Amino acid sequence: MKREELEAARDRVIPDVAAGGLRVLFCGINPGLMSAATGHHFARPGNRFWPVLHLSGFTPRVLNPAEQDGLLTYGLGITNVAARATARADELSAEEFREGGRILTAKVERLRPRWLAVVGITAYRTAFDDKKAQVGPQERTIGDTRVWALPNPSGLNARWTAETMAEEFARLRAAAA
């Protein structure tokens, strides 16, 4: 995809893949430019979300981003903390994260998934003003929905391999079973 096409996608909003009563609602930080251009969550080729979802046992095979609506058949969904597409998450302001946390809370109250899984610990900390949060289950609940903070699957996150991420995602899968 050409750079001009990616830049033109900054104003596009990607619809949530969501329904009421999901097992897990995954919440990305915000759409990247490739995701905005394609209309599919976690669309950048280096993003490890889809392979990790499979490695952890959530899906029977690696789905490609264009198959995102198929997640609903597994009781899974996707949304984002912030709707604005950027090349990098660090282009978002702290206020955008906090506002995203308020919007996300209202969405979770309405959809009532069993678990909200925020994919990106820094995003979780900022959106929910919980500076000491660690990856894993959180004490916070939103209504009856439990919250889990997961590592960011971006290829830029060198601290976590696909295998170590899959282990953490699998812990969530077991808890959500």
Side-chain angles (χ1 to χ4, degrees), residues 21-25 58 74-76 113-116 173 176-177:
L22 295 170
R23 264 190 319 144
V24 180
L25 178 60
F58 273 112
Y74 305 112
L76 309 173
R114 253 187 269 161
W115 286 90
L116 170 66
R173 183 182 53 78

Side-chain angles (χ1 to χ4, degrees), residues 161-172:
T161 66
E163 291 74 23
T164 58
M165 271 189 252
E167 290 170 9
E168 190 61 32
F169 275 60
R171 287 182 57 218
L172 167 62

Side-chain angles (χ1 to χ4, degrees), residues 84-153:
R84 184 168 71 93
T86 61
R88 295 176 49 104
D90 61 9
E91 294 176 41
L92 297 171
S93 70
E95 182 50 40
E96 285 177 284
F97 278 108
R98 286 189 292 273
E99 177 63 17
R102 291 187 286 273
I103 293 168
L104 180 58
T105 296
K107 189 178 299 185
V108 168
E109 287 171 343
R110 188 178 83 254
L111 295 174
R112 302 177 62 192
R114 253 187 269 161
W115 286 90
L116 170 66
V118 180
V119 184
I121 188 66
T122 303
Y124 174 82
R125 288 175 182 151
T126 307
F128 292 101
D129 194 30
D130 187 351
K131 294 176 183 25
K132 295 185 179 189
Q134 299 297 315
V135 167
Q138 305 301 305
E139 289 184 25
R140 170 187 310 279
T141 60
I142 301 171
D144 292 333
T145 299
R146 300 278 320 270
V147 179
W148 198 293
L150 290 166
N152 183 348

Side-chain angles (χ1 to χ4, degrees), residues 9-27:
R10 284 187 186 268
D11 296 329
R12 293 188 192 142
V13 174
I14 300 176
D16 291 341
V17 176
L22 295 170
R23 264 190 319 144
V24 180
L25 178 60
F26 289 96
C27 180

